[in-house]
PDB file of all heavy atoms in Angstrom:
ATOM      1  N   PHE A  16       0.837  -1.203   0.000  1.00  0.00           N
ATOM      2  CA  PHE A  16       0.000   0.000   0.000  1.00  0.00           C
ATOM      3  C   PHE A  16       0.871   1.252   0.000  1.00  0.00           C
ATOM      4  O   PHE A  16       0.457   2.308  -0.484  1.00  0.00           O
ATOM      5  CB  PHE A  16      -0.918  -0.040   1.229  1.00  0.00           C
ATOM      6  CG  PHE A  16      -1.640   1.233   1.515  1.00  0.00           C
ATOM      7  CD1 PHE A  16      -2.703   1.644   0.736  1.00  0.00           C
ATOM      8  CD2 PHE A  16      -1.279   2.025   2.604  1.00  0.00           C
ATOM      9  CE1 PHE A  16      -3.382   2.814   1.015  1.00  0.00           C
ATOM     10  CE2 PHE A  16      -1.953   3.193   2.894  1.00  0.00           C
ATOM     11  CZ  PHE A  16      -3.005   3.588   2.100  1.00  0.00           C
ATOM     12  N   PHE A  17       2.076   1.125   0.527  1.00  0.00           N
ATOM     13  CA  PHE A  17       2.967   2.276   0.667  1.00  0.00           C
ATOM     14  C   PHE A  17       3.863   2.439  -0.553  1.00  0.00           C
ATOM     15  O   PHE A  17       4.307   1.470  -1.144  1.00  0.00           O
ATOM     16  CB  PHE A  17       3.836   2.109   1.910  1.00  0.00           C
ATOM     17  CG  PHE A  17       3.045   1.912   3.174  1.00  0.00           C
ATOM     18  CD1 PHE A  17       3.032   0.686   3.820  1.00  0.00           C
ATOM     19  CD2 PHE A  17       2.322   2.959   3.718  1.00  0.00           C
ATOM     20  CE1 PHE A  17       2.302   0.492   4.977  1.00  0.00           C
ATOM     21  CE2 PHE A  17       1.596   2.774   4.887  1.00  0.00           C
ATOM     22  CZ  PHE A  17       1.580   1.550   5.518  1.00  0.00           C
ATOM     23  N   ASN A  18       4.151   3.695  -0.892  1.00  0.00           N
ATOM     24  CA  ASN A  18       5.087   3.963  -1.984  1.00  0.00           C
ATOM     25  C   ASN A  18       6.495   3.528  -1.604  1.00  0.00           C
ATOM     26  O   ASN A  18       7.259   3.033  -2.429  1.00  0.00           O
ATOM     27  CB  ASN A  18       5.095   5.445  -2.344  1.00  0.00           C
ATOM     28  CG  ASN A  18       3.747   5.944  -2.798  1.00  0.00           C
ATOM     29  OD1 ASN A  18       3.197   6.877  -2.241  1.00  0.00           O
ATOM     30  ND2 ASN A  18       3.188   5.300  -3.813  1.00  0.00           N
ATOM     31  N   VAL A  19       6.821   3.750  -0.347  1.00  0.00           N
ATOM     32  CA  VAL A  19       8.155   3.390   0.126  1.00  0.00           C
ATOM     33  C   VAL A  19       8.097   3.113   1.614  1.00  0.00           C
ATOM     34  O   VAL A  19       7.316   3.725   2.341  1.00  0.00           O
ATOM     35  CB  VAL A  19       9.176   4.511  -0.180  1.00  0.00           C
ATOM     36  CG1 VAL A  19       8.822   5.794   0.538  1.00  0.00           C
ATOM     37  CG2 VAL A  19      10.588   4.094   0.163  1.00  0.00           C
ATOM     38  N   MET A  20       8.896   2.176   2.048  1.00  0.00           N
ATOM     39  CA  MET A  20       9.090   1.896   3.472  1.00  0.00           C
ATOM     40  C   MET A  20      10.582   1.871   3.752  1.00  0.00           C
ATOM     41  O   MET A  20      11.392   1.630   2.844  1.00  0.00           O
ATOM     42  CB  MET A  20       8.460   0.563   3.878  1.00  0.00           C
ATOM     43  CG  MET A  20       6.949   0.536   3.779  1.00  0.00           C
ATOM     44  SD  MET A  20       6.240  -0.955   4.494  1.00  0.00           S
ATOM     45  CE  MET A  20       6.510  -0.666   6.252  1.00  0.00           C
ATOM     46  N   GLY A  21      10.911   2.119   4.989  1.00  0.00           N
ATOM     47  CA  GLY A  21      12.335   2.101   5.284  1.00  0.00           C
ATOM     48  C   GLY A  21      12.644   2.305   6.741  1.00  0.00           C
ATOM     49  O   GLY A  21      11.764   2.224   7.601  1.00  0.00           O
ATOM     50  N   TRP A  22      13.908   2.563   6.979  1.00  0.00           N
ATOM     51  CA  TRP A  22      14.433   2.750   8.322  1.00  0.00           C
ATOM     52  C   TRP A  22      15.230   4.048   8.377  1.00  0.00           C
ATOM     53  O   TRP A  22      16.043   4.316   7.487  1.00  0.00           O
ATOM     54  CB  TRP A  22      15.335   1.583   8.708  1.00  0.00           C
ATOM     55  CG  TRP A  22      14.617   0.282   8.814  1.00  0.00           C
ATOM     56  CD1 TRP A  22      14.406  -0.629   7.823  1.00  0.00           C
ATOM     57  CD2 TRP A  22      13.999  -0.246   9.989  1.00  0.00           C
ATOM     58  NE1 TRP A  22      13.693  -1.693   8.304  1.00  0.00           N
ATOM     59  CE2 TRP A  22      13.430  -1.494   9.644  1.00  0.00           C
ATOM     60  CE3 TRP A  22      13.875   0.192  11.309  1.00  0.00           C
ATOM     61  CZ2 TRP A  22      12.759  -2.285  10.560  1.00  0.00           C
ATOM     62  CZ3 TRP A  22      13.195  -0.601  12.219  1.00  0.00           C
ATOM     63  CH2 TRP A  22      12.645  -1.829  11.848  1.00  0.00           C
ATOM     64  N   TYR A  23      14.995   4.789   9.443  1.00  0.00           N
ATOM     65  CA  TYR A  23      15.777   5.960   9.769  1.00  0.00           C
ATOM     66  C   TYR A  23      16.362   5.739  11.158  1.00  0.00           C
ATOM     67  O   TYR A  23      15.900   4.886  11.909  1.00  0.00           O
ATOM     68  CB  TYR A  23      14.908   7.219   9.777  1.00  0.00           C
ATOM     69  CG  TYR A  23      14.578   7.763   8.410  1.00  0.00           C
ATOM     70  CD1 TYR A  23      13.703   7.088   7.567  1.00  0.00           C
ATOM     71  CD2 TYR A  23      15.137   8.963   7.964  1.00  0.00           C
ATOM     72  CE1 TYR A  23      13.399   7.594   6.318  1.00  0.00           C
ATOM     73  CE2 TYR A  23      14.837   9.481   6.714  1.00  0.00           C
ATOM     74  CZ  TYR A  23      13.957   8.792   5.892  1.00  0.00           C
ATOM     75  OH  TYR A  23      13.658   9.290   4.653  1.00  0.00           O
ATOM     76  N   ARG A  24      17.372   6.508  11.493  1.00  0.00           N
ATOM     77  CA  ARG A  24      17.917   6.462  12.836  1.00  0.00           C
ATOM     78  C   ARG A  24      18.239   7.853  13.333  1.00  0.00           C
ATOM     79  O   ARG A  24      18.442   8.781  12.546  1.00  0.00           O
ATOM     80  CB  ARG A  24      19.160   5.563  12.906  1.00  0.00           C
ATOM     81  CG  ARG A  24      20.367   6.087  12.143  1.00  0.00           C
ATOM     82  CD  ARG A  24      21.474   5.037  12.159  1.00  0.00           C
ATOM     83  NE  ARG A  24      22.675   5.516  11.467  1.00  0.00           N
ATOM     84  CZ  ARG A  24      23.733   4.756  11.203  1.00  0.00           C
ATOM     85  NH1 ARG A  24      23.750   3.473  11.576  1.00  0.00           N
ATOM     86  NH2 ARG A  24      24.776   5.275  10.576  1.00  0.00           N
ATOM     87  N   GLN A  25      18.274   7.972  14.657  1.00  0.00           N
ATOM     88  CA  GLN A  25      18.518   9.275  15.268  1.00  0.00           C
ATOM     89  C   GLN A  25      19.283   9.114  16.561  1.00  0.00           C
ATOM     90  O   GLN A  25      18.996   8.219  17.366  1.00  0.00           O
ATOM     91  CB  GLN A  25      17.199   9.996  15.521  1.00  0.00           C
ATOM     92  CG  GLN A  25      17.335  11.445  15.936  1.00  0.00           C
ATOM     93  CD  GLN A  25      16.002  12.159  15.945  1.00  0.00           C
ATOM     94  OE1 GLN A  25      14.939  11.547  16.099  1.00  0.00           O
ATOM     95  NE2 GLN A  25      16.035  13.468  15.758  1.00  0.00           N
ATOM     96  N   THR A  26      20.253  10.013  16.753  1.00  0.00           N
ATOM     97  CA  THR A  26      20.978  10.106  18.004  1.00  0.00           C
ATOM     98  C   THR A  26      20.725  11.487  18.599  1.00  0.00           C
ATOM     99  O   THR A  26      20.377  12.421  17.864  1.00  0.00           O
ATOM    100  CB  THR A  26      22.479   9.877  17.801  1.00  0.00           C
ATOM    101  OG1 THR A  26      22.955  10.795  16.805  1.00  0.00           O
ATOM    102  CG2 THR A  26      22.760   8.459  17.331  1.00  0.00           C
ATOM    103  N   PRO A  27      20.907  11.633  19.911  1.00  0.00           N
ATOM    104  CA  PRO A  27      20.628  12.923  20.554  1.00  0.00           C
ATOM    105  C   PRO A  27      21.391  14.064  19.891  1.00  0.00           C
ATOM    106  O   PRO A  27      22.592  13.962  19.641  1.00  0.00           O
ATOM    107  CB  PRO A  27      21.075  12.698  21.995  1.00  0.00           C
ATOM    108  CG  PRO A  27      20.901  11.238  22.212  1.00  0.00           C
ATOM    109  CD  PRO A  27      21.275  10.596  20.909  1.00  0.00           C
ATOM    110  N   GLY A  28      20.681  15.140  19.616  1.00  0.00           N
ATOM    111  CA  GLY A  28      21.302  16.323  19.062  1.00  0.00           C
ATOM    112  C   GLY A  28      21.511  16.296  17.562  1.00  0.00           C
ATOM    113  O   GLY A  28      22.029  17.260  16.990  1.00  0.00           O
ATOM    114  N   LYS A  29      21.119  15.182  16.931  1.00  0.00           N
ATOM    115  CA  LYS A  29      21.293  15.072  15.481  1.00  0.00           C
ATOM    116  C   LYS A  29      19.951  14.877  14.784  1.00  0.00           C
ATOM    117  O   LYS A  29      18.981  14.421  15.393  1.00  0.00           O
ATOM    118  CB  LYS A  29      22.230  13.915  15.139  1.00  0.00           C
ATOM    119  CG  LYS A  29      23.661  14.126  15.598  1.00  0.00           C
ATOM    120  CD  LYS A  29      24.567  13.025  15.070  1.00  0.00           C
ATOM    121  CE  LYS A  29      26.001  13.262  15.453  1.00  0.00           C
ATOM    122  NZ  LYS A  29      26.913  12.215  14.918  1.00  0.00           N
ATOM    123  N   GLU A  30      19.918  15.200  13.515  1.00  0.00           N
ATOM    124  CA  GLU A  30      18.702  14.987  12.738  1.00  0.00           C
ATOM    125  C   GLU A  30      18.541  13.504  12.411  1.00  0.00           C
ATOM    126  O   GLU A  30      19.525  12.757  12.352  1.00  0.00           O
ATOM    127  CB  GLU A  30      18.759  15.800  11.439  1.00  0.00           C
ATOM    128  CG  GLU A  30      18.691  17.296  11.634  1.00  0.00           C
ATOM    129  CD  GLU A  30      18.581  18.054  10.326  1.00  0.00           C
ATOM    130  OE1 GLU A  30      18.567  17.416   9.269  1.00  0.00           O
ATOM    131  OE2 GLU A  30      18.498  19.291  10.372  1.00  0.00           O
ATOM    132  N   ARG A  31      17.287  13.135  12.213  1.00  0.00           N
ATOM    133  CA  ARG A  31      17.005  11.761  11.798  1.00  0.00           C
ATOM    134  C   ARG A  31      17.588  11.549  10.393  1.00  0.00           C
ATOM    135  O   ARG A  31      17.425  12.382   9.507  1.00  0.00           O
ATOM    136  CB  ARG A  31      15.492  11.543  11.802  1.00  0.00           C
ATOM    137  CG  ARG A  31      15.050  10.118  11.883  1.00  0.00           C
ATOM    138  CD  ARG A  31      13.567  10.019  12.164  1.00  0.00           C
ATOM    139  NE  ARG A  31      13.235  10.413  13.522  1.00  0.00           N
ATOM    140  CZ  ARG A  31      12.028  10.240  14.069  1.00  0.00           C
ATOM    141  NH1 ARG A  31      11.056   9.687  13.341  1.00  0.00           N
ATOM    142  NH2 ARG A  31      11.801  10.620  15.295  1.00  0.00           N
ATOM    143  N   GLU A  32      18.293  10.426  10.216  1.00  0.00           N
ATOM    144  CA  GLU A  32      18.929  10.171   8.928  1.00  0.00           C
ATOM    145  C   GLU A  32      18.445   8.861   8.327  1.00  0.00           C
ATOM    146  O   GLU A  32      18.138   7.900   9.046  1.00  0.00           O
ATOM    147  CB  GLU A  32      20.456  10.122   9.065  1.00  0.00           C
ATOM    148  CG  GLU A  32      20.982   8.976   9.904  1.00  0.00           C
ATOM    149  CD  GLU A  32      22.506   8.836   9.837  1.00  0.00           C
ATOM    150  OE1 GLU A  32      23.144   9.549   9.040  1.00  0.00           O
ATOM    151  OE2 GLU A  32      23.044   7.984  10.568  1.00  0.00           O
ATOM    152  N   LEU A  33      18.412   8.830   7.002  1.00  0.00           N
ATOM    153  CA  LEU A  33      18.006   7.619   6.296  1.00  0.00           C
ATOM    154  C   LEU A  33      19.050   6.521   6.482  1.00  0.00           C
ATOM    155  O   LEU A  33      20.241   6.752   6.298  1.00  0.00           O
ATOM    156  CB  LEU A  33      17.833   7.900   4.811  1.00  0.00           C
ATOM    157  CG  LEU A  33      17.560   6.679   3.941  1.00  0.00           C
ATOM    158  CD1 LEU A  33      16.173   6.116   4.212  1.00  0.00           C
ATOM    159  CD2 LEU A  33      17.736   7.025   2.464  1.00  0.00           C
ATOM    160  N   VAL A  34      18.564   5.337   6.811  1.00  0.00           N
ATOM    161  CA  VAL A  34      19.428   4.164   6.872  1.00  0.00           C
ATOM    162  C   VAL A  34      19.242   3.336   5.606  1.00  0.00           C
ATOM    163  O   VAL A  34      20.192   3.014   4.904  1.00  0.00           O
ATOM    164  CB  VAL A  34      19.122   3.312   8.114  1.00  0.00           C
ATOM    165  CG1 VAL A  34      19.986   2.052   8.122  1.00  0.00           C
ATOM    166  CG2 VAL A  34      19.335   4.108   9.384  1.00  0.00           C
ATOM    167  N   ALA A  35      17.991   2.981   5.329  1.00  0.00           N
ATOM    168  CA  ALA A  35      17.693   2.165   4.158  1.00  0.00           C
ATOM    169  C   ALA A  35      16.224   2.300   3.816  1.00  0.00           C
ATOM    170  O   ALA A  35      15.396   2.542   4.700  1.00  0.00           O
ATOM    171  CB  ALA A  35      18.031   0.697   4.413  1.00  0.00           C
ATOM    172  N   SER A  36      15.915   2.142   2.536  1.00  0.00           N
ATOM    173  CA  SER A  36      14.525   2.187   2.114  1.00  0.00           C
ATOM    174  C   SER A  36      14.302   1.201   0.979  1.00  0.00           C
ATOM    175  O   SER A  36      15.260   0.787   0.296  1.00  0.00           O
ATOM    176  CB  SER A  36      14.117   3.596   1.678  1.00  0.00           C
ATOM    177  OG  SER A  36      14.821   3.976   0.512  1.00  0.00           O
ATOM    178  N   ILE A  37      13.041   0.845   0.803  1.00  0.00           N
ATOM    179  CA  ILE A  37      12.652  -0.031  -0.302  1.00  0.00           C
ATOM    180  C   ILE A  37      11.321   0.471  -0.840  1.00  0.00           C
ATOM    181  O   ILE A  37      10.395   0.740  -0.069  1.00  0.00           O
ATOM    182  CB  ILE A  37      12.577  -1.507   0.159  1.00  0.00           C
ATOM    183  CG1 ILE A  37      12.250  -2.429  -1.016  1.00  0.00           C
ATOM    184  CG2 ILE A  37      11.585  -1.699   1.305  1.00  0.00           C
ATOM    185  CD1 ILE A  37      12.489  -3.905  -0.698  1.00  0.00           C
ATOM    186  N   ASN A  38      11.248   0.651  -2.162  1.00  0.00           N
ATOM    187  CA  ASN A  38      10.003   1.166  -2.702  1.00  0.00           C
ATOM    188  C   ASN A  38       9.087   0.023  -3.141  1.00  0.00           C
ATOM    189  O   ASN A  38       9.449  -1.164  -3.062  1.00  0.00           O
ATOM    190  CB  ASN A  38      10.252   2.183  -3.810  1.00  0.00           C
ATOM    191  CG  ASN A  38      10.781   1.562  -5.094  1.00  0.00           C
ATOM    192  OD1 ASN A  38      10.765   0.345  -5.274  1.00  0.00           O
ATOM    193  ND2 ASN A  38      11.233   2.395  -6.009  1.00  0.00           N
ATOM    194  N   VAL A  39       7.905   0.384  -3.609  1.00  0.00           N
ATOM    195  CA  VAL A  39       6.910  -0.637  -3.925  1.00  0.00           C
ATOM    196  C   VAL A  39       7.411  -1.575  -5.020  1.00  0.00           C
ATOM    197  O   VAL A  39       7.034  -2.761  -5.049  1.00  0.00           O
ATOM    198  CB  VAL A  39       5.573   0.034  -4.301  1.00  0.00           C
ATOM    199  CG1 VAL A  39       5.713   0.825  -5.592  1.00  0.00           C
ATOM    200  CG2 VAL A  39       4.454  -0.976  -4.385  1.00  0.00           C
ATOM    201  N   GLY A  40       8.314  -1.078  -5.871  1.00  0.00           N
ATOM    202  CA  GLY A  40       8.865  -1.916  -6.926  1.00  0.00           C
ATOM    203  C   GLY A  40      10.033  -2.770  -6.502  1.00  0.00           C
ATOM    204  O   GLY A  40      10.551  -3.561  -7.293  1.00  0.00           O
ATOM    205  N   GLY A  41      10.465  -2.593  -5.253  1.00  0.00           N
ATOM    206  CA  GLY A  41      11.568  -3.394  -4.741  1.00  0.00           C
ATOM    207  C   GLY A  41      12.935  -2.744  -4.863  1.00  0.00           C
ATOM    208  O   GLY A  41      13.946  -3.352  -4.511  1.00  0.00           O
ATOM    209  N   VAL A  42      12.976  -1.519  -5.336  1.00  0.00           N
ATOM    210  CA  VAL A  42      14.259  -0.815  -5.452  1.00  0.00           C
ATOM    211  C   VAL A  42      14.690  -0.354  -4.067  1.00  0.00           C
ATOM    212  O   VAL A  42      13.919   0.269  -3.333  1.00  0.00           O
ATOM    213  CB  VAL A  42      14.139   0.381  -6.405  1.00  0.00           C
ATOM    214  CG1 VAL A  42      15.450   1.150  -6.458  1.00  0.00           C
ATOM    215  CG2 VAL A  42      13.736  -0.090  -7.799  1.00  0.00           C
ATOM    216  N   THR A  43      15.940  -0.642  -3.730  1.00  0.00           N
ATOM    217  CA  THR A  43      16.456  -0.298  -2.404  1.00  0.00           C
ATOM    218  C   THR A  43      17.414   0.884  -2.474  1.00  0.00           C
ATOM    219  O   THR A  43      18.025   1.166  -3.516  1.00  0.00           O
ATOM    220  CB  THR A  43      17.174  -1.498  -1.773  1.00  0.00           C
ATOM    221  OG1 THR A  43      18.238  -1.903  -2.638  1.00  0.00           O
ATOM    222  CG2 THR A  43      16.209  -2.662  -1.579  1.00  0.00           C
ATOM    223  N   ASN A  44      17.547   1.549  -1.341  1.00  0.00           N
ATOM    224  CA  ASN A  44      18.446   2.694  -1.224  1.00  0.00           C
ATOM    225  C   ASN A  44      19.043   2.664   0.166  1.00  0.00           C
ATOM    226  O   ASN A  44      18.342   2.359   1.144  1.00  0.00           O
ATOM    227  CB  ASN A  44      17.667   3.987  -1.454  1.00  0.00           C
ATOM    228  CG  ASN A  44      18.564   5.204  -1.447  1.00  0.00           C
ATOM    229  OD1 ASN A  44      19.654   5.184  -1.984  1.00  0.00           O
ATOM    230  ND2 ASN A  44      18.092   6.280  -0.828  1.00  0.00           N
ATOM    231  N   TYR A  45      20.335   2.969   0.269  1.00  0.00           N
ATOM    232  CA  TYR A  45      21.025   2.907   1.557  1.00  0.00           C
ATOM    233  C   TYR A  45      21.786   4.188   1.831  1.00  0.00           C
ATOM    234  O   TYR A  45      22.309   4.830   0.912  1.00  0.00           O
ATOM    235  CB  TYR A  45      22.008   1.738   1.573  1.00  0.00           C
ATOM    236  CG  TYR A  45      21.359   0.384   1.487  1.00  0.00           C
ATOM    237  CD1 TYR A  45      21.163  -0.246   0.258  1.00  0.00           C
ATOM    238  CD2 TYR A  45      20.925  -0.276   2.635  1.00  0.00           C
ATOM    239  CE1 TYR A  45      20.550  -1.477   0.173  1.00  0.00           C
ATOM    240  CE2 TYR A  45      20.320  -1.523   2.566  1.00  0.00           C
ATOM    241  CZ  TYR A  45      20.129  -2.112   1.323  1.00  0.00           C
ATOM    242  OH  TYR A  45      19.526  -3.341   1.251  1.00  0.00           O
ATOM    243  N   GLY A  46      21.869   4.527   3.120  1.00  0.00           N
ATOM    244  CA  GLY A  46      22.745   5.601   3.511  1.00  0.00           C
ATOM    245  C   GLY A  46      24.195   5.202   3.294  1.00  0.00           C
ATOM    246  O   GLY A  46      24.542   4.022   3.416  1.00  0.00           O
ATOM    247  N   ASP A  47      25.046   6.162   2.989  1.00  0.00           N
ATOM    248  CA  ASP A  47      26.438   5.860   2.660  1.00  0.00           C
ATOM    249  C   ASP A  47      27.148   5.120   3.785  1.00  0.00           C
ATOM    250  O   ASP A  47      27.986   4.242   3.538  1.00  0.00           O
ATOM    251  CB  ASP A  47      27.193   7.156   2.337  1.00  0.00           C
ATOM    252  CG  ASP A  47      26.794   7.749   1.000  1.00  0.00           C
ATOM    253  OD1 ASP A  47      26.228   7.018   0.161  1.00  0.00           O
ATOM    254  OD2 ASP A  47      27.043   8.951   0.796  1.00  0.00           O
ATOM    255  N   SER A  48      26.822   5.440   5.023  1.00  0.00           N
ATOM    256  CA  SER A  48      27.545   4.864   6.149  1.00  0.00           C
ATOM    257  C   SER A  48      27.206   3.395   6.406  1.00  0.00           C
ATOM    258  O   SER A  48      27.902   2.730   7.173  1.00  0.00           O
ATOM    259  CB  SER A  48      27.276   5.675   7.416  1.00  0.00           C
ATOM    260  OG  SER A  48      25.898   5.636   7.735  1.00  0.00           O
ATOM    261  N   VAL A  49      26.143   2.884   5.787  1.00  0.00           N
ATOM    262  CA  VAL A  49      25.740   1.504   6.045  1.00  0.00           C
ATOM    263  C   VAL A  49      25.835   0.612   4.811  1.00  0.00           C
ATOM    264  O   VAL A  49      25.607  -0.599   4.911  1.00  0.00           O
ATOM    265  CB  VAL A  49      24.304   1.434   6.630  1.00  0.00           C
ATOM    266  CG1 VAL A  49      24.173   2.334   7.840  1.00  0.00           C
ATOM    267  CG2 VAL A  49      23.258   1.762   5.582  1.00  0.00           C
ATOM    268  N   LYS A  50      26.186   1.185   3.686  1.00  0.00           N
ATOM    269  CA  LYS A  50      26.274   0.390   2.453  1.00  0.00           C
ATOM    270  C   LYS A  50      27.265  -0.760   2.624  1.00  0.00           C
ATOM    271  O   LYS A  50      28.359  -0.571   3.140  1.00  0.00           O
ATOM    272  CB  LYS A  50      26.692   1.282   1.285  1.00  0.00           C
ATOM    273  CG  LYS A  50      25.590   2.190   0.785  1.00  0.00           C
ATOM    274  CD  LYS A  50      26.064   3.056  -0.385  1.00  0.00           C
ATOM    275  CE  LYS A  50      24.957   3.977  -0.865  1.00  0.00           C
ATOM    276  NZ  LYS A  50      25.407   4.886  -1.954  1.00  0.00           N
ATOM    277  N   GLY A  51      26.837  -1.941   2.200  1.00  0.00           N
ATOM    278  CA  GLY A  51      27.685  -3.114   2.305  1.00  0.00           C
ATOM    279  C   GLY A  51      27.592  -3.825   3.641  1.00  0.00           C
ATOM    280  O   GLY A  51      28.122  -4.931   3.792  1.00  0.00           O
ATOM    281  N   ARG A  52      26.926  -3.200   4.618  1.00  0.00           N
ATOM    282  CA  ARG A  52      26.800  -3.816   5.945  1.00  0.00           C
ATOM    283  C   ARG A  52      25.338  -4.124   6.299  1.00  0.00           C
ATOM    284  O   ARG A  52      25.054  -5.102   6.988  1.00  0.00           O
ATOM    285  CB  ARG A  52      27.387  -2.891   7.012  1.00  0.00           C
ATOM    286  CG  ARG A  52      28.851  -2.590   6.824  1.00  0.00           C
ATOM    287  CD  ARG A  52      29.420  -1.828   8.043  1.00  0.00           C
ATOM    288  NE  ARG A  52      28.788  -0.529   8.220  1.00  0.00           N
ATOM    289  CZ  ARG A  52      28.178  -0.145   9.340  1.00  0.00           C
ATOM    290  NH1 ARG A  52      28.105  -0.966  10.374  1.00  0.00           N
ATOM    291  NH2 ARG A  52      27.641   1.065   9.423  1.00  0.00           N
ATOM    292  N   PHE A  53      24.432  -3.276   5.854  1.00  0.00           N
ATOM    293  CA  PHE A  53      23.010  -3.429   6.190  1.00  0.00           C
ATOM    294  C   PHE A  53      22.241  -3.850   4.945  1.00  0.00           C
ATOM    295  O   PHE A  53      22.581  -3.457   3.822  1.00  0.00           O
ATOM    296  CB  PHE A  53      22.425  -2.115   6.687  1.00  0.00           C
ATOM    297  CG  PHE A  53      22.924  -1.654   8.031  1.00  0.00           C
ATOM    298  CD1 PHE A  53      23.998  -2.261   8.669  1.00  0.00           C
ATOM    299  CD2 PHE A  53      22.298  -0.597   8.682  1.00  0.00           C
ATOM    300  CE1 PHE A  53      24.445  -1.827   9.911  1.00  0.00           C
ATOM    301  CE2 PHE A  53      22.725  -0.151   9.916  1.00  0.00           C
ATOM    302  CZ  PHE A  53      23.808  -0.765  10.522  1.00  0.00           C
ATOM    303  N   THR A  54      21.183  -4.623   5.166  1.00  0.00           N
ATOM    304  CA  THR A  54      20.321  -5.055   4.069  1.00  0.00           C
ATOM    305  C   THR A  54      18.863  -4.920   4.471  1.00  0.00           C
ATOM    306  O   THR A  54      18.457  -5.434   5.531  1.00  0.00           O
ATOM    307  CB  THR A  54      20.603  -6.520   3.691  1.00  0.00           C
ATOM    308  OG1 THR A  54      21.985  -6.667   3.344  1.00  0.00           O
ATOM    309  CG2 THR A  54      19.751  -6.941   2.503  1.00  0.00           C
ATOM    310  N   ILE A  55      18.098  -4.252   3.636  1.00  0.00           N
ATOM    311  CA  ILE A  55      16.660  -4.132   3.867  1.00  0.00           C
ATOM    312  C   ILE A  55      15.939  -5.187   3.023  1.00  0.00           C
ATOM    313  O   ILE A  55      16.331  -5.468   1.882  1.00  0.00           O
ATOM    314  CB  ILE A  55      16.151  -2.715   3.536  1.00  0.00           C
ATOM    315  CG1 ILE A  55      14.708  -2.528   3.998  1.00  0.00           C
ATOM    316  CG2 ILE A  55      16.329  -2.379   2.061  1.00  0.00           C
ATOM    317  CD1 ILE A  55      14.234  -1.078   3.935  1.00  0.00           C
ATOM    318  N   SER A  56      14.894  -5.763   3.603  1.00  0.00           N
ATOM    319  CA  SER A  56      14.104  -6.756   2.888  1.00  0.00           C
ATOM    320  C   SER A  56      12.668  -6.681   3.384  1.00  0.00           C
ATOM    321  O   SER A  56      12.368  -5.949   4.333  1.00  0.00           O
ATOM    322  CB  SER A  56      14.683  -8.162   3.086  1.00  0.00           C
ATOM    323  OG  SER A  56      14.649  -8.529   4.452  1.00  0.00           O
ATOM    324  N   ARG A  57      11.790  -7.461   2.767  1.00  0.00           N
ATOM    325  CA  ARG A  57      10.386  -7.406   3.156  1.00  0.00           C
ATOM    326  C   ARG A  57       9.717  -8.756   2.921  1.00  0.00           C
ATOM    327  O   ARG A  57      10.187  -9.567   2.121  1.00  0.00           O
ATOM    328  CB  ARG A  57       9.654  -6.321   2.360  1.00  0.00           C
ATOM    329  CG  ARG A  57       9.624  -6.580   0.854  1.00  0.00           C
ATOM    330  CD  ARG A  57       9.094  -5.402   0.098  1.00  0.00           C
ATOM    331  NE  ARG A  57       9.110  -5.648  -1.347  1.00  0.00           N
ATOM    332  CZ  ARG A  57       8.806  -4.740  -2.262  1.00  0.00           C
ATOM    333  NH1 ARG A  57       8.464  -3.504  -1.871  1.00  0.00           N
ATOM    334  NH2 ARG A  57       8.843  -5.047  -3.544  1.00  0.00           N
TER     335      ARG A  57
END
């Protein structure tokens, strides 16, 4: 039902940042700091 789902993270004093996302078509996107280490799936 959603165009995109994903994960963000936040630490005190910092803005929420994208970790990973996956759109309805299955295309994934990752934050630079987690590429190669994190995997999003559904």
